[in-house]
Every structure is written in structure tokens, then in C-alpha cells.
Amino acid sequence: MKKFIISMMLIVSGSAFSQVSIGAPIQENNKWTFGGGIGLGFGSNSSFYLQASPRVGYRLTEDLEAGAVGSVSWQTSDYYRSTMFGIGPFVNYYIARSFYLSANFQHYFINYKDKYYDYKYNREENALYLGGGYMQRIGNNSFMQIGLMYNVLWKENSSVFSNGLVPNIGFVVGL
């Protein structure tokens, strides 16, 4: 049975590659972009952090892209547990495919539980990130983005975020 499955996989993959014409120019008609980032962290008091932020965009012009980005993160430690979901639009302007300026609005839904005091709360918060960064080509139409954003809606005494400055690393395919 194993030999049959392997043989079928080879035949299917061979027929799929046989549809590509050698030397034919590649058409860049697709204006959709995909990407995002992931984060992972560990710390004292058994703290653990996991975050994912997928994004989908559409190139309005060669240098202007708009789309939607989501965010989900889980944090836990000996003292608390938190889950946060966010979603919103973004706009990126690309400068010579080496730099970018970005604006990103996120609406967050936060669920927090203090394990020590057995205290729970649910909350919502808005964030408007403005910033930019550097892009490094890692493939034909793929880039790694390294940047710095600032949440202009951040308030020191009322935000669930520790500060408004957010470094980011992500990937985008389709530019």
C-alpha cells in the first residue's frame, strides 16, 4: 500500500510540474498579498507567550497596499492567564521595495484572569499603529519586514499594553 501511495504522489506531482512552460514569461496579474508574523516568549514565574498575526492585502497601486490583519495571543504564568484577539484594516506604502510606511488600526478583545486573586475581566481596546521599517527581499516576490510602530491611542494609566512602542518582524508574499 505504501508503494502505491508513493507512486501516485510521484505521478500527480510530475503531471502538475509538466504544466509549467519553460522559458514562458511569468505574468504578475495577481494583486493579492499574504503574510504575517508569529511570536514566542518565555520568562520568569513560568510565563509563556504565543502570538500569531496573519494578514491579507491587495495592491491598489505598485507602491500602495491595503488589507486586513488579525491578531491572536495567549499569555500565561503562575499568576495570570490572558487571551487577546484583534482585527482591523491596514495600509502600507512601499518606498523602492526597501522601506515602508504603515498605518494599522486594531480593535482588541481581551480576556484576563488573575490566578492569585481569582479575578476575571473582559475588555475591549482600540489601537492605531503608525510607523514603518525596512524590507529585505527573501525570494522572487517575498519580503521580510522589520519595523517599529507606535500606538497613538495608547494611554499609560488605562491601556492593557505596557507601552505604545511596538517592534515588529513579519513576512509578506505577493509584492
Side-chain angles (χ1 to χ4, degrees):
M1 183 67 169
K2 222 187 257 189
K3 290 180 183 181
F4 175 74
I5 292 174
I6 292 172
S7 300
M8 289 305 295
M9 295 289 280
L10 289 173
I11 291 170
V12 169
S13 64
S15 64
F17 285 116
S18 68
Q19 302 302 314
V20 177
S21 175
I22 304 296
I26 298 172
Q27 293 182 352
E28 293 287 333
N29 292 335
N30 191 359
K31 293 184 176 234
W32 291 98
T33 64
F34 303 93
I38 57 172
L40 180 67
F42 300 93
S44 60
N45 300 315
S46 301
S47 66
F48 174 74
Y49 171 77
L50 179 63
Q51 184 259 344
S53 57
R55 71 187 273 304
V56 61
Y58 187 80
R59 287 185 295 136
L60 301 170
T61 68
E62 193 61 31
D63 296 326
L64 185 64
E65 172 193 27
V69 63
S71 176
V72 61
S73 68
W74 299 275
Q75 298 179 32
T76 186
S77 78
D78 291 339
Y79 303 106
Y80 69 90
R81 182 177 66 232
S82 173
T83 305
M84 184 167 49
F85 298 96
I87 190 158
F90 75 88
V91 174
N92 287 340
Y93 182 75
Y94 298 103
I95 303 165
R97 287 294 191 263
S98 294
F99 300 95
Y100 67 95
L101 298 174
S102 184
N104 175 359
F105 178 80
Q106 291 276 302
H107 182 78
Y108 290 102
F109 302 91
I110 301 120
N111 179 316
Y112 179 86
K113 179 183 181 196
D114 188 309
K115 295 177 183 178
Y116 189 76
Y117 293 107
D118 196 31
Y119 172 74
K120 298 177 187 179
Y121 74 85
N122 294 316
R123 170 173 185 181
E124 296 181 25
E125 185 169 337
N126 291 321
L128 177 59
Y129 299 103
L130 301 176
Y134 173 73
M135 291 177 27
Q136 175 65 48
R137 183 181 298 272
I138 57 174
N140 220 10
N141 62 349
S142 304
F143 293 85
M144 178 176 69
Q145 296 178 321
I146 301 169
L148 196 60
M149 306 287 279
Y150 184 75
N151 179 2
V152 297
L153 301 180
W154 179 76
K155 294 184 175 102
E156 184 176 5
N157 296 325
S158 63
S159 178
V160 297
F161 303 108
S162 58
N163 79 48
L165 200 58
V166 179
N168 58 18
I169 297 175
F171 299 92
V172 62
V173 176
L175 289 180

